[in-house]
Amino acid sequence: MKINTWFGTLEIDSTGEILESLFLSKDIRELALHSLSLRDSKSDLPPEGFDLKNAAIKSGFVNSPAAYYSLLHEVTLEAAKLQVSGALTPDQRIIQAVEALDDINETTNALSERLSEWYGGYFPESGLGGEDLALFIVKYGSRENVGSEDPLYSKARNSMGAKLEPADEILLIGFAENVCSLYERRRQIEAYIENSMELVAPNLKLIAGPMLGARLISLAGSLKKLAEFPSSTIQVIGASKALFKHLRARAPSPKHGIIYSHPLINTAPWWVRGKVARAVASKLSLAARIDFYSGEIEPSIMEKLEAKVLQIRTLNPRPPQKRQESGAKPKKRRRK
Amino acid sequence: MKINTWFGTLEIDSTGEILESLFLSKDIRELALHSLSLRDSKSDLPPEGFDLKNAAIKSGFVNSPAAYYSLLHEVTLEAAKLQVSGALTPDQRIIQAVEALDDINETTNALSERLSEWYGGYFPESGLGGEDLALFIVKYGSRENVGSEDPLYSKARNSMGAKLEPADEILLIGFAENVCSLYERRRQIEAYIENSMELVAPNLKLIAGPMLGARLISLAGSLKKLAEFPSSTIQVIGASKALFKHLRARAPSPKHGIIYSHPLINTAPWWVRGKVARAVASKLSLAARIDFYSGEIEPSIMEKLEAKVLQIRTLNPRPPQKRQESGAKPKKRRRK
């Protein structure tokens, strides 16, 4: 009978006597990898009650119980390390990218504003901002270098801005280069998120768009958690402040969290926005579940969502009339 | 009698009759520059009550009052533009650089932290941070690429971190490049400030160091304002919150604002820190005044300051004894 152990393969008879043995080398990493593969395969395991330590000593793999335990300790430690160091799941990697993107966005905006203020003293009439301004500065530096083919030529020539000294020009161009490369990085990370979403959550991407979908996964913590959320939770993800105010006090429940950025919701008239948000959230939840449990693409969800939203908007063409008769409180009191 | 006007030179007799006239061309820019030079020189101005408009028409420079006023309007506008568009003063440029540096510092720290968190999942044992980590990532990307000559080789080989996928590696390297170039920019701006301070405020630079000196100018608004501040104001610049609390309530007056970062102050024992801060502030004020009004370098100020601080520390070798007898309130009440 052949058995696999963490230190090699043994051939034993029915009484447990070792007939033949084939050891692995004493390389910790190799032994750890081998023991992990055993854990997965579970074939030819030693019979219950079989004393591995004695077998290892008898067969001559180690020469004492102390040596056996010391080696076993090192191997299990290495195996544990190998286990945690598997690749991160794709949704965790998306979350990291979303967080990095948020930081990049914030810093890019801050540096862009600073650049605008700084260069504003030298060419206040440019009318440029953000990436356009940064690219302009990288290209020309001082407004004196603007070529006659540039649409800003005459503005640059007649500008009321101060003269830009060479030392400051170098500084400004360098600063603008930083801003440009941050805008570059932003696009790169966005493209990464878009690609990853296509692989990890194609249905969610279809319904929510790549960035909103990635943000939902990021706020939920993982695709699994998002798939487990009821759609009413998805509807208010990112509106926790308003939600807790609602739960604590008499504030109305929030109609939408970050899903407000969904085009179907933010283009809807205010009086159906809650209904539309509920419809969108329910399909987002469905999409996340399909992505997590099956992974197949179902384009029909989007069609159904669009039909549903159309129906909501057709049934509610006008803002609701405020009922002042019946049970409602008089207007004045409600305003309080 | 010769008079200079904004449109040219006229030779008039005592009755105001024009004998001869020499016009400038009708180029707006040239006329504007000429009128600005007149404002500075103030020689041969027309006598009081002399009607320039009539003279311009009579001598044939323009043919109607409307033409005269329209041209004058354009010229004064251009002159105003030229006036504001002179180069900024060097201290204003230092202030801009200080503000840009503050923004760069803040963003660099934020992105550095994000990088550390992000890469931490892949190589938690690196023990690197800030620029070192960013340079490491740019150099190697995944920890698998760490060469055996690197001191982190064995840590990288035995790391418990996750495996870094190629797509994430590209993203991380790019992000790290941004961080590196922001650190680069920081050094460039700091060097600029150091050079400019040497030119603009050499004495202040000597006493305060370039960065503290530049920050003082920045918070004061200009070197002129800093030179006009009493030294007690310089002592608490940057501690406005504590100062207003002192003025409003019973809080103790702040002993130092941003000058706390001065090595003479932050290495002084706490019981003489207020005295030392006052001495430093008085020399900073003196330095700023010399820089603004004369510009000559006076190395003796620093010597005097060091002697003064030594004297303070020699006279106060031990922390003061708390007097509990006499007029002071009992300890318990003071703690309230």
Side-chain angles (χ1 to χ4, degrees), chain A residues 61-115:
Chain A
F61 180 67
V62 286
N63 47 26
S64 72
Y68 177 83
Y69 284 123
S70 140
L71 193 62
L72 181 60
H73 176 74
E74 279 183 63
V75 171
T76 46
L77 204 68
E78 182 69 24
K81 277 191 196 175
L82 285 170
Q83 261 199 317
V84 285
S85 69
L88 295 178
T89 58
D91 58 341
Q92 285 176 303
R93 291 157 54 206
I94 289 177
I95 292 174
Q96 287 177 329
V98 168
E99 285 172 353
L101 183 65
D102 285 343
D103 281 346
I104 290 262
N105 277 344
E106 210 172 297
T107 44
T108 313
N109 292 343
L111 294 185
S112 245
E113 262 174 55
R114 168 63 51 205
L115 187 66

Side-chain angles (χ1 to χ4, degrees), chain B residues 6-7 24-39 71-83:
Chain B
W6 63 268
F7 51 87
L24 291 161
S25 81
K26 279 190 188 167
D27 182 83
I28 304 292
R29 199 175 185 89
E30 205 176 298
L31 286 168
L33 285 168
H34 175 68
S35 70
L36 282 177
S37 71
L38 278 188
R39 198 180 304 184
L71 192 62
L72 181 60
H73 175 74
E74 279 183 64
V75 171
T76 46
L77 203 69
E78 181 68 24
K81 277 192 197 174
L82 285 170
Q83 260 200 317

Side-chain angles (χ1 to χ4, degrees), chain A residues 227-303:
Chain A
E228 285 165 353
F229 278 168
S231 83
S232 56
T233 301
I234 292 179
Q235 192 181 342
V236 295
I237 282 181
S240 46
K241 205 175 149 195
L243 181 65
F244 284 114
K245 197 173 171 194
H246 163 63
L247 295 175
R248 201 177 54 234
R250 280 191 168 186
S253 75
K255 287 199 287 289
H256 32 61
I258 61 157
I259 65 165
Y260 179 71
S261 72
H262 194 285
L264 282 174
I265 299 175
N266 62 28
T267 59
W270 60 264
W271 61 90
V272 293
R273 215 168 268 164
K275 289 186 210 299
V276 172
R278 198 161 69 232
V280 172
S282 100
K283 297 300 178 200
L284 287 175
S285 166
L286 185 61
R289 283 165 201 190
I290 297 176
D291 285 332
F292 184 69
Y293 294 106
S294 96
E296 273 163 46
I297 300 177
E298 305 246 9
S300 64
I301 311 176
M302 192 63 194
E303 286 160 27

Side-chain angles (χ1 to χ4, degrees), chain B residues 152-291:
Chain B
L152 284 170
Y153 176 68
S154 77
K155 273 189 183 167
R157 207 166 172 252
N158 298 311
S159 169
M160 290 179 65
K163 191 179 158 352
L164 182 54
E165 303 286 330
D168 298 65
E169 192 180 12
I170 293 170
L171 228 52
L172 266 162
I173 292 177
F175 198 93
E177 276 168 355
N178 282 104
V179 173
C180 285
S181 76
L182 284 168
Y183 276 108
E184 243 350 287
R185 191 70 53 224
R186 185 156 143 173
R187 277 191 290 273
Q188 192 193 12
I189 298 179
E190 276 171 357
Y192 170 92
I193 291 173
E194 210 168 317
N195 289 339
S196 306
M197 282 298 286
E198 186 62 46
L199 296 171
V200 176
N203 289 297
L204 188 61
K205 187 192 164 196
L206 204 67
I207 306 292
M211 286 313 303
L212 176 58
R215 267 176 215 291
L216 284 170
I217 294 178
S218 168
L219 285 170
S222 69
L223 179 60
K224 180 166 183 280
K225 281 191 192 152
L226 187 67
E228 285 165 352
F229 278 168
S231 82
S232 56
T233 301
I234 293 179
Q235 193 181 341
V236 294
I237 281 181
S240 45
K241 204 174 148 193
L243 181 65
F244 284 114
K245 196 173 172 195
H246 163 64
L247 295 175
R248 202 176 55 235
R250 281 192 166 184
S253 74
K255 287 199 286 290
H256 32 62
I258 61 158
I259 66 164
Y260 179 72
S261 71
H262 194 286
L264 281 175
I265 298 175
N266 62 28
T267 59
W270 61 264
W271 63 90
V272 294
R273 215 168 268 163
K275 290 186 209 303
V276 173
R278 197 159 72 233
V280 171
S282 99
K283 296 302 178 200
L284 287 175
S285 167
L286 184 62
R289 283 165 203 193
I290 297 175
D291 285 332

Side-chain angles (χ1 to χ4, degrees), chain A residues 215-229:
Chain A
R215 266 176 217 290
L216 284 169
I217 294 178
S218 168
L219 285 172
S222 69
L223 180 58
K224 180 166 183 281
K225 281 190 192 152
L226 187 67
E228 285 165 353
F229 278 168

Side-chain angles (χ1 to χ4, degrees), chain A residues 81 85-87 93 96 99 103 107 114 118 122 160-163 165 168 170 174 178 181 185 188 192, chain B residues 81 85-87 93 96 99 103 107 114 118 122 160-163 165 168 170-171 174 178 181 185 188 192:
Chain A
K81 277 191 196 175
S85 69
R93 291 157 54 206
Q96 287 177 329
E99 285 172 353
D103 281 346
T107 44
R114 168 63 51 205
W118 196 358
Y122 300 107
M160 291 178 65
K163 190 177 156 0
E165 304 287 330
D168 298 66
I170 293 170
N178 282 103
S181 75
R185 191 71 50 224
Q188 192 194 13
Y192 170 91
Chain B
K81 277 192 197 174
S85 69
R93 291 157 54 205
Q96 287 176 329
E99 285 172 352
D103 281 345
T107 45
R114 168 64 51 204
W118 195 359
Y122 300 107
M160 290 179 65
K163 191 179 158 352
E165 303 286 330
D168 298 65
I170 293 170
L171 228 52
N178 282 104
S181 76
R185 191 70 53 224
Q188 192 193 12
Y192 170 92

